[in-house]
Amino acid sequence: MGFCDPSTASKTRYVACASTEEEHNLTVFQYRGKIYYRASQVIPTGTELLVWIGEEYARTLGLKLGEHFKYEFGEKELLMKLFQDLQLKPVDSISNHVSSQSQYMCNDMVTPVMQAHRTSYPLNNIGHTSSVFPLLEGTQNLVSLGRAQSRYWTFFGFQGDAYGRIIDKTKIICKLCGVRLSYSGNTTNLRQHLIYKHRRQYNDLVGTQGAVVDPHKSIESVSPCELASRAIVAPTVGRTTRAVADFIVRDLMPLEIIEGEGFIQMLAILDPNYKLPAISFLAHTILQEMYIQVKVKVVELVKNLQECSISLDFWKHSGALSYLTLTIHYVDEGFESRNIMLSSRAVAEDLSEGNLTSVLLDAAEEWGIRDNTFYAVGLNSSSVKVATSNVGWRPLPCVGQVLRGCIETVLQHHTIQSTLDRFRKLTAFVCSSPTQIEEMSTHGPVLKVHLKMFLRDGTKWYSIYTLLQSIVDHSNYFKNLTETIRESDIVLQQDDWSVLQDVVDILKPLAIATSTFTKDQFAGLSLVKPVITSLLYKHLAPNEWDSDFCKTIKKAIHEDLSFKYADHDVNQVLNLACALDPRFRGLDFLSQPDRVETLHLLKLEASNLAKLQTPEHTCVTPEPLNAKPPIKKVKQDSGIEFLLGDLCSVRNSSVSTVNQQAEQEISSFQTSEASSLCQDPLQWWKMHHTQYPLLARAARKLLAIPATSVPTNWLFTDAGLAVYRKRSALTAENVDLLVFLNGNRLML
């Protein structure tokens, strides 16, 4: 029966394509140049007819898709194959348009299901009849395979090429969806043709919330974020496939895990009819779509930030390949701390100034964060400091790295190393003897666990204090044990126990400091100066009862800490953060000159932020309608004004400048009652920001600065090792994609 002639055409030409293989009830095949439909199951009356291409017809078309056809249909390589013969040839008119919303049920059919169709019927790029353009011989069948898939073709074909070449500022679509569509004619004509003549189809594809694209508005004037948000037209993804993608993102797994025998077997048990997508489709389609959606949100959010800080996470991938992952930090209007992970860029292993500067400048331009970012927290190295300064950000050291350096200074002392080596031999002897293990069990299970950790982990800087404390607490057990051992190289003498006791006493305040910072995901910068000051001048200060060995170690730590925080600019920022923290508002740990300087800088900071405040945040009291001008009163000078008016300026208390208001807020804030040391400073500001409006703006800026370059539990627990181990298992091409999605998974 004729396909193009309305008088003889069958309604089967309007059959829609199933979105998934499971919902189809018809299959399509080709015989002697004609297309036929075959019922794949009993179809009840009133059921919509849905066709699926099937592997048989795919082989006929020369598409070697195998069992993964369902999911590979939107792949870039396949899109190139499908569109390689497309020609954009506008035609004048073709009548009898068919609505894309039409549904045809089983009882609507008046002819047998199996019908022959002509293969020259023109179809448009969204899978329905239209007057857009005719197709070359042999390509119609490919385009007519399905409406769900063809929507996806349109996104990558039309958006990725036409928009990418017209608007080079649309970097998100250009970089992420760069599939080229072969067509005849220049780009401008293509844009004019598709938008002006087919406005409805265009709006259906890329419009959002029913918005209509203005045909007279130049595409070049559309913002990148607006264009990107309109261009997100995703293929239909099943629930199981989405769950697989979420599993990979949330657990930061390599894509190759879906090819594992155990993973395949698990899915076969959970859903026997499910067919896994190909890795390339998962990476280039589903995960890329998730990446685009999250990135559009992040770009729009970052664009509206007035002040934020950034942390620099340097980590080693494999071999000579290292990465820098950037995370921005800010406090929102509700005084909640927010962190958004940006990009992960490959950097030179030697972290040269030039390479780091180039990477930071590129990232700042990509995300638009150069002007609204003020502080950068990272490694305390000269190259990092210079690179961040070149971008315009003030560098700050990561307190976690500083504390790590102090603890490693203790552990690297030759006397301590030799003592720990002898005790390691003693521990190995105890754990290898069933008799000793049984006797050790009488002292409780904790000792046994700690000894095994000591043998397995060695001297990890963040856990060594707990292990050594447990060993010293059970010193009597080990002393009695050594009396029965003949090997002198594993016997600890009294001097060795004295060394271990000194190490425990020195490491205790450092261990407490690290645990203090782990209470929050990113501890605030305001906590750094009080902690460092207490370590330098109280807990690690030499005492008269200290041994000579203990004094030597404390002196080395004191010098290291003092050197790391010797920079005057760094101390100014630390002091400002403390001045805005209600727990430390009195600045009692500062000298009088430093306190005066800090309060002066705080007044300038609050005043400058108020002057830079955008007009929409400024409250203006409107004048009443028909307001009469005030009556001017004749000024009458009193005797005192006549005599002293030129010598003493009279201030009007009702009109205060921004500087005066900032000074008043600081004075009131400083003299108010101090908060508990356990109180969250941001929660305090959430309740009192209306009382100190200028200081509240400064608090959002300075209290958003993190104390560490990564989440604190990554530094002070084994969680960091697990995260970096997972990152290193990713292929280089997927590092930025998966690390970004994993870091911003709450936005999915």
Side-chain angles (χ1 to χ4, degrees):
M1 187 172 292
F3 194 104
C4 189
D5 187 356
S7 62
T8 60
S10 167
K11 290 185 179 181
T12 53
R13 63 187 175 127
Y14 304 138
V15 172
C17 182
S19 299
T20 62
E21 185 176 4
E22 290 75 13
E23 70 177 3
H24 83 284
N25 46 34
L26 297 178
T27 58
V28 62
F29 66 95
Q30 187 170 331
Y31 178 70
R32 292 186 177 180
K34 297 182 179 181
I35 301 175
Y36 296 88
Y37 290 128
R38 177 192 294 124
S40 60
Q41 56 182 280
V42 177
I43 307 175
T45 302
T47 303
E48 181 184 5
L49 297 177
L50 298 172
V51 67
W52 186 252
I53 180 175
E55 297 181 12
E56 178 183 352
Y57 191 40
R59 289 193 297 269
T60 303
L61 297 176
L63 302 177
K64 299 179 180 180
L65 304 177
E67 62 180 3
H68 298 304
F69 168 77
K70 169 184 174 182
Y71 299 101
E72 291 182 352
F73 214 74
E75 234 174 308
K76 291 184 179 180
E77 296 80 8
L78 179 57
L79 288 171
M80 290 294 295
K81 179 177 179 61
L82 295 179
F83 285 114
Q84 62 185 353
D85 294 327
L86 269 177
Q87 300 291 327
L88 295 182
K89 299 178 181 179
V91 293
D92 295 333
S93 63
I94 295 180
S95 59
N96 300 322
H97 292 271
V98 180
S99 172
S100 62
Q101 303 299 324
S102 302
Q103 293 184 351
Y104 287 86
M105 309 301 175
C106 184
N107 56 324
D108 294 330
M109 306 304 297
V110 294
T111 56
V113 173
M114 183 181 298
Q115 292 288 346
H117 294 192
R118 289 176 54 188
T119 59
S120 60
Y121 190 80
L123 295 161
N124 73 351
N125 61 342
I126 58 173
H128 303 287
T129 57
S130 176
S131 60
V132 179
F133 51 82
L135 306 179
L136 294 182
E137 186 69 17
T139 61
Q140 298 89 342
N141 298 338
L142 299 178
V143 182
S144 65
L145 294 179
R147 59 184 178 188
Q149 293 92 334
S150 59
R151 283 175 65 85
Y152 185 60
W153 301 343
T154 302
F155 168 58
F156 275 97
F158 171 53
Q159 297 293 347
D161 183 72
Y163 276 75
R165 295 213 277 171
I166 296 172
I167 316 167
D168 53 4
K169 68 178 181 179
T170 313
K171 297 180 179 179
I172 298 177
I173 302 301
C174 254
K175 293 182 179 179
L176 303 181
C177 309
V179 180
R180 301 177 60 85
L181 169 62
S182 177
Y183 61 91
S184 60
N186 57 53
T187 306
T188 304
N189 292 338
L190 172 63
R191 169 174 58 88
Q192 300 274 347
H193 175 69
L194 289 176
I195 293 181
Y196 288 83
K197 290 190 176 182
H198 310 285
R199 192 180 313 156
R200 177 174 297 179
Q201 292 91 331
Y202 173 77
N203 287 328
D204 288 342
L205 284 174
V206 300
T208 56
Q209 303 297 328
V212 178
V213 178
D214 184 359
H216 302 290
K217 183 178 181 180
S218 171
I219 293 189
E220 286 79 356
S221 64
V222 181
S223 67
C225 293
E226 181 183 357
L227 180 61
S229 62
R230 292 176 180 176
I232 298 177
V233 182
T236 303
V237 177
R239 185 177 62 178
T240 306
T241 302
R242 179 62 187 228
V244 171
D246 289 341
F247 159 71
I248 291 175
V249 168
R250 294 179 184 277
D251 285 353
L252 202 59
M253 290 295 178
L255 297 181
E256 292 74 15
I257 194 174
I258 68 173
E259 293 182 338
E261 181 179 354
F263 190 84
I264 295 175
Q265 182 180 5
M266 178 188 67
L267 287 181
I269 295 174
L270 296 176
D271 188 355
N273 297 323
Y274 178 71
K275 294 180 180 179
L276 269 170
I279 288 181
S280 56
F281 175 78
L282 192 64
H284 301 152
T285 303
I286 300 178
L287 292 176
Q288 281 286 11
E289 173 63 24
M290 296 167 66
Y291 180 87
I292 293 172
Q293 291 178 352
V294 176
K295 187 168 186 179
V296 168
K297 295 178 184 178
V298 171
V299 169
E300 189 66 23
L301 192 152
V302 172
K303 181 181 67 175
N304 296 322
L305 291 180
Q306 294 178 325
E307 301 97 17
C308 63
S309 303
I310 195 166
S311 58
L312 315 178
D313 177 17
F314 295 93
W315 54 279
K316 193 173 184 60
H317 182 265
S318 59
L321 185 60
S322 299
Y323 280 90
L324 166 61
T325 298
L326 304 176
T327 303
I328 60 169
H329 310 264
Y330 67 98
V331 174
D332 62 17
E333 294 182 355
F335 285 88
E336 297 291 337
S337 180
R338 305 295 183 188
N339 315 296
I340 300 179
M341 190 169 290
L342 302 182
S343 52
S344 298
R345 303 292 187 91
V347 294
E349 190 175 11
D350 58 352
L351 298 180
S352 62
E353 297 175 6
N355 176 254
L356 285 179
T357 301
S358 176
V359 169
L360 292 177
L361 286 174
D362 289 343
E365 180 181 359
E366 176 186 359
W367 297 96
I369 58 173
R370 185 171 184 180
D371 295 332
N372 60 355
T373 301
F374 296 90
Y375 305 99
V377 180
L379 295 178
N380 192 33
S381 64
S382 58
S383 59
V384 174
K385 292 179 181 178
V386 173
T388 51
S389 298
N390 291 339
V391 183
W393 304 333
R394 182 176 293 186
L396 298 172
C398 169
V399 70
Q401 300 293 342
V402 172
L403 293 176
R404 175 179 182 174
C406 294
I407 295 176
E408 289 179 343
T409 299
V410 176
L411 299 178
Q412 290 172 0
H413 193 279
H414 62 89
T415 302
I416 298 175
Q417 284 186 341
S418 60
T419 302
L420 293 177
D421 288 340
R422 282 194 293 273
F423 186 78
R424 188 175 292 105
K425 295 178 181 179
L426 177 61
T427 304
F429 170 79
V430 172
C431 294
S432 62
S433 174
T435 304
Q436 296 298 334
I437 293 177
E438 183 178 357
E439 182 180 353
M440 181 175 56
S441 301
T442 60
H443 295 271
V446 176
L447 177 60
K448 181 179 179 180
V449 172
H450 284 166
L451 291 182
K452 290 185 176 180
M453 289 177 59
F454 184 78
L455 288 177
R456 183 184 70 247
D457 300 334
T459 54
K460 287 184 178 179
W461 70 276
Y462 52 80
S463 61
I464 187 63
Y465 166 74
T466 304
L467 301 181
L468 294 182
Q469 180 65 64
S470 178
I471 292 170
V472 171
D473 291 342
H474 295 85
S475 59
N476 292 332
Y477 161 73
F478 291 104
K479 291 178 180 178
N480 295 332
L481 177 63
T482 55
E483 295 178 356
T484 63
I485 300 176
R486 298 180 180 180
E487 293 83 352
S488 59
D489 58 336
I490 65 174
V491 175
L492 269 67
Q493 306 299 329
Q494 183 59 39
D495 291 343
D496 295 326
W497 287 108
S498 299
V499 168
L500 290 178
Q501 184 63 60
D502 287 341
V503 172
V504 168
D505 293 340
I506 295 172
L507 292 181
K508 181 178 180 179
L510 293 172
I512 294 176
T514 58
S515 64
T516 301
F517 285 104
T518 56
K519 293 181 179 180
D520 300 315
Q521 182 184 13
F522 280 95
L525 191 71
S526 61
L527 195 59
V528 173
K529 190 59 179 286
V531 170
I532 297 300
T533 302
S534 67
L535 290 177
L536 287 175
Y537 301 105
K538 181 180 179 181
H539 300 290
L540 296 178
N543 297 312
E544 57 182 7
W545 57 82
D546 288 338
S547 64
D548 293 339
F549 173 77
C550 186
K551 291 180 180 179
T552 302
I553 299 300
K554 285 185 175 181
K555 180 180 178 181
I557 297 176
H558 193 283
E559 292 176 352
D560 188 41
L561 270 179
S562 300
F563 174 76
K564 296 292 178 58
Y565 288 100
D567 189 280
H568 181 67
D569 293 338
V570 171
N571 277 280
Q572 283 185 342
V573 179
L574 298 180
N575 295 341
L576 278 174
C578 292
L580 289 166
D581 191 322
R583 299 171 297 179
F584 314 122
R585 70 183 84 181
L587 302 177
D588 299 327
F589 49 86
L590 296 182
S591 63
Q592 182 62 24
D594 288 342
R595 188 181 299 114
V596 172
E597 179 190 30
T598 300
L599 296 180
H600 175 69
L601 292 176
L602 180 58
K603 182 179 72 173
L604 295 179
E605 181 73 25
S607 302
N608 292 335
L609 289 176
K611 294 174 184 177
L612 294 174
Q613 194 167 5
T614 55
E616 58 266 23
H617 292 88
T618 304
C619 297
V620 179
T621 304
E623 295 183 359
L625 297 176
N626 302 325
K628 297 181 179 180
I631 300 176
K632 295 183 179 180
K633 297 181 179 180
V634 180
K635 182 178 180 180
Q636 297 180 353
D637 292 343
S638 63
I640 189 69
E641 291 176 341
F642 176 79
L643 292 176
L644 305 178
D646 296 335
L647 299 178
C648 302
S649 59
V650 180
R651 296 182 180 180
N652 189 347
S653 59
S654 63
V655 181
S656 61
T657 64
V658 173
N659 289 336
Q660 290 171 340
Q661 181 181 351
E663 190 172 353
Q664 292 173 1
E665 289 187 14
I666 293 173
S667 177
S668 175
F669 180 68
Q670 288 285 310
T671 55
S672 60
E673 184 180 357
S675 303
S676 169
L677 291 177
C678 299
Q679 184 176 16
D680 184 355
L682 291 180
Q683 290 301 312
W684 187 94
W685 278 107
K686 186 176 183 178
M687 295 183 294
H688 298 85
H689 68 278
T690 56
Q691 186 178 353
Y692 309 101
L694 299 187
L695 291 185
R697 174 77 181 274
R700 287 181 58 191
K701 175 182 177 180
L702 288 161
L703 296 183
I705 308 174
T708 57
S709 57
V710 296
T712 51
N713 65 323
W714 292 15
L715 285 169
F716 307 134
T717 66
D718 289 332
L721 294 177
V723 171
Y724 292 122
R725 192 180 299 115
K726 288 183 176 181
R727 287 184 177 182
S728 299
L730 304 176
T731 57
E733 63 177 343
N734 294 325
V735 165
D736 184 45
L737 171 73
L738 292 177
V739 171
F740 174 81
L741 290 175
N742 177 264
N744 302 303
R745 54 189 177 275
L746 296 180
M747 292 187 176
L748 292 171

CSV table of all heavy atoms in Angstrom, one decimal, residues 56-73:
chain,number,residue,atom,x,y,z
A,56,GLU,N,17.5,-7.8,14.3
A,56,GLU,CA,17.5,-8.3,12.9
A,56,GLU,C,17.5,-7.2,11.9
A,56,GLU,O,18.3,-7.2,10.9
A,56,GLU,CB,16.2,-9.1,12.7
A,56,GLU,CG,15.9,-9.7,11.3
A,56,GLU,CD,14.6,-10.4,11.2
A,56,GLU,OE1,14.0,-10.6,12.2
A,56,GLU,OE2,14.2,-10.7,10.0
A,57,TYR,N,16.7,-6.2,12.1
A,57,TYR,CA,16.7,-5.1,11.2
A,57,TYR,C,17.9,-4.2,11.3
A,57,TYR,O,18.4,-3.6,10.3
A,57,TYR,CB,15.4,-4.2,11.4
A,57,TYR,CG,15.2,-3.1,10.4
A,57,TYR,CD1,15.4,-3.5,9.0
A,57,TYR,CD2,14.8,-1.9,10.7
A,57,TYR,CE1,15.1,-2.5,8.0
A,57,TYR,CE2,14.5,-0.9,9.7
A,57,TYR,CZ,14.7,-1.3,8.4
A,57,TYR,OH,14.5,-0.3,7.4
A,58,ALA,N,18.5,-4.2,12.5
A,58,ALA,CA,19.8,-3.5,12.6
A,58,ALA,C,20.9,-4.1,11.7
A,58,ALA,O,21.7,-3.4,11.1
A,58,ALA,CB,20.2,-3.5,14.1
A,59,ARG,N,20.9,-5.4,11.7
A,59,ARG,CA,21.9,-6.1,10.9
A,59,ARG,C,21.6,-5.8,9.4
A,59,ARG,O,22.5,-5.7,8.6
A,59,ARG,CB,21.9,-7.6,11.1
A,59,ARG,CG,22.5,-8.0,12.5
A,59,ARG,CD,22.7,-9.5,12.5
A,59,ARG,NE,21.5,-10.3,12.4
A,59,ARG,CZ,20.7,-10.6,13.5
A,59,ARG,NH1,21.1,-10.3,14.7
A,59,ARG,NH2,19.6,-11.3,13.3
A,60,THR,N,20.3,-5.8,9.0
A,60,THR,CA,19.9,-5.5,7.6
A,60,THR,C,20.5,-4.1,7.2
A,60,THR,O,20.9,-3.9,6.1
A,60,THR,CB,18.4,-5.5,7.5
A,60,THR,OG1,17.9,-6.8,7.9
A,60,THR,CG2,18.0,-5.2,6.0
A,61,LEU,N,20.4,-3.1,8.1
A,61,LEU,CA,20.9,-1.8,7.8
A,61,LEU,C,22.4,-1.7,7.9
A,61,LEU,O,22.9,-0.6,7.7
A,61,LEU,CB,20.2,-0.8,8.8
A,61,LEU,CG,18.7,-0.7,8.7
A,61,LEU,CD1,18.2,0.3,9.8
A,61,LEU,CD2,18.3,-0.2,7.4
A,62,GLY,N,23.1,-2.7,8.3
A,62,GLY,CA,24.5,-2.7,8.5
A,62,GLY,C,25.0,-2.1,9.7
A,62,GLY,O,26.1,-1.7,9.9
A,63,LEU,N,24.1,-2.0,10.8
A,63,LEU,CA,24.5,-1.4,12.1
A,63,LEU,C,24.8,-2.6,13.0
A,63,LEU,O,24.0,-3.3,13.4
A,63,LEU,CB,23.3,-0.6,12.7
A,63,LEU,CG,22.8,0.5,11.8
A,63,LEU,CD1,21.6,1.2,12.5
A,63,LEU,CD2,23.9,1.5,11.6
A,64,LYS,N,26.1,-2.7,13.2
A,64,LYS,CA,26.6,-3.8,14.1
A,64,LYS,C,26.5,-3.4,15.5
A,64,LYS,O,27.5,-3.1,16.2
A,64,LYS,CB,28.0,-4.2,13.7
A,64,LYS,CG,28.1,-4.7,12.2
A,64,LYS,CD,29.6,-5.0,11.9
A,64,LYS,CE,29.7,-5.4,10.4
A,64,LYS,NZ,31.1,-5.8,10.1
A,65,LEU,N,25.3,-3.4,16.0
A,65,LEU,CA,25.1,-2.9,17.4
A,65,LEU,C,25.0,-4.0,18.4
A,65,LEU,O,25.1,-3.8,19.6
A,65,LEU,CB,23.7,-2.2,17.4
A,65,LEU,CG,23.7,-1.0,16.4
A,65,LEU,CD1,22.3,-0.4,16.5
A,65,LEU,CD2,24.8,0.0,16.7
A,66,GLY,N,24.8,-5.3,18.0
A,66,GLY,CA,24.8,-6.4,18.9
A,66,GLY,C,23.7,-6.2,20.0
A,66,GLY,O,22.7,-5.6,19.8
A,67,GLU,N,24.0,-6.8,21.1
A,67,GLU,CA,23.0,-6.8,22.2
A,67,GLU,C,22.8,-5.5,22.9
A,67,GLU,O,21.9,-5.3,23.6
A,67,GLU,CB,23.3,-7.9,23.2
A,67,GLU,CG,24.7,-7.6,23.9
A,67,GLU,CD,25.0,-8.7,24.9
A,67,GLU,OE1,24.2,-9.6,25.0
A,67,GLU,OE2,26.0,-8.5,25.6
A,68,HIS,N,23.7,-4.5,22.6
A,68,HIS,CA,23.7,-3.2,23.3
A,68,HIS,C,23.0,-2.2,22.4
A,68,HIS,O,23.1,-1.0,22.7
A,68,HIS,CB,25.1,-2.8,23.6
A,68,HIS,CG,25.8,-3.7,24.6
A,68,HIS,ND1,25.3,-4.1,25.8
A,68,HIS,CD2,27.0,-4.4,24.4
A,68,HIS,CE1,26.1,-4.9,26.4
A,68,HIS,NE2,27.1,-5.1,25.6
A,69,PHE,N,22.3,-2.6,21.4
A,69,PHE,CA,21.7,-1.6,20.5
A,69,PHE,C,20.8,-0.6,21.3
A,69,PHE,O,20.8,0.6,21.0
A,69,PHE,CB,20.8,-2.3,19.5
A,69,PHE,CG,20.0,-1.3,18.7
A,69,PHE,CD1,20.5,-0.6,17.7
A,69,PHE,CD2,18.6,-1.2,19.0
A,69,PHE,CE1,19.7,0.3,17.0
A,69,PHE,CE2,17.8,-0.3,18.3
A,69,PHE,CZ,18.4,0.5,17.3
A,70,LYS,N,20.1,-1.1,22.3
A,70,LYS,CA,19.2,-0.2,23.0
A,70,LYS,C,19.9,1.0,23.6
A,70,LYS,O,19.3,2.1,23.6
A,70,LYS,CB,18.6,-1.1,24.1
A,70,LYS,CG,17.8,-0.2,25.2
A,70,LYS,CD,17.3,-1.2,26.3
A,70,LYS,CE,16.7,-0.4,27.4
A,70,LYS,NZ,16.3,-1.3,28.5
A,71,TYR,N,21.1,0.9,23.9
A,71,TYR,CA,21.7,2.0,24.6
A,71,TYR,C,22.8,2.6,23.8
A,71,TYR,O,23.2,3.7,24.1
A,71,TYR,CB,22.4,1.4,25.9
A,71,TYR,CG,21.4,0.9,26.9
A,71,TYR,CD1,21.1,-0.5,27.0
A,71,TYR,CD2,20.5,1.7,27.6
A,71,TYR,CE1,20.2,-1.0,27.8
A,71,TYR,CE2,19.6,1.2,28.5
A,71,TYR,CZ,19.4,-0.1,28.6
A,71,TYR,OH,18.5,-0.6,29.4
A,72,GLU,N,23.2,2.0,22.7
A,72,GLU,CA,24.2,2.7,21.9
A,72,GLU,C,23.6,3.6,20.9
A,72,GLU,O,24.3,4.2,20.1
A,72,GLU,CB,25.1,1.6,21.2
A,72,GLU,CG,25.9,0.8,22.1
A,72,GLU,CD,26.8,-0.2,21.4
A,72,GLU,OE1,26.6,-0.4,20.1
A,72,GLU,OE2,27.7,-0.8,22.0
A,73,PHE,N,22.3,3.7,20.8
A,73,PHE,CA,21.7,4.4,19.8
A,73,PHE,C,22.0,5.9,19.7
A,73,PHE,O,21.9,6.5,18.7
A,73,PHE,CB,20.1,4.2,19.8
A,73,PHE,CG,19.5,4.2,18.5
A,73,PHE,CD1,19.6,3.1,17.7
A,73,PHE,CD2,18.8,5.3,18.0
A,73,PHE,CE1,19.1,3.0,16.5
A,73,PHE,CE2,18.2,5.2,16.7
A,73,PHE,CZ,18.4,4.1,16.0
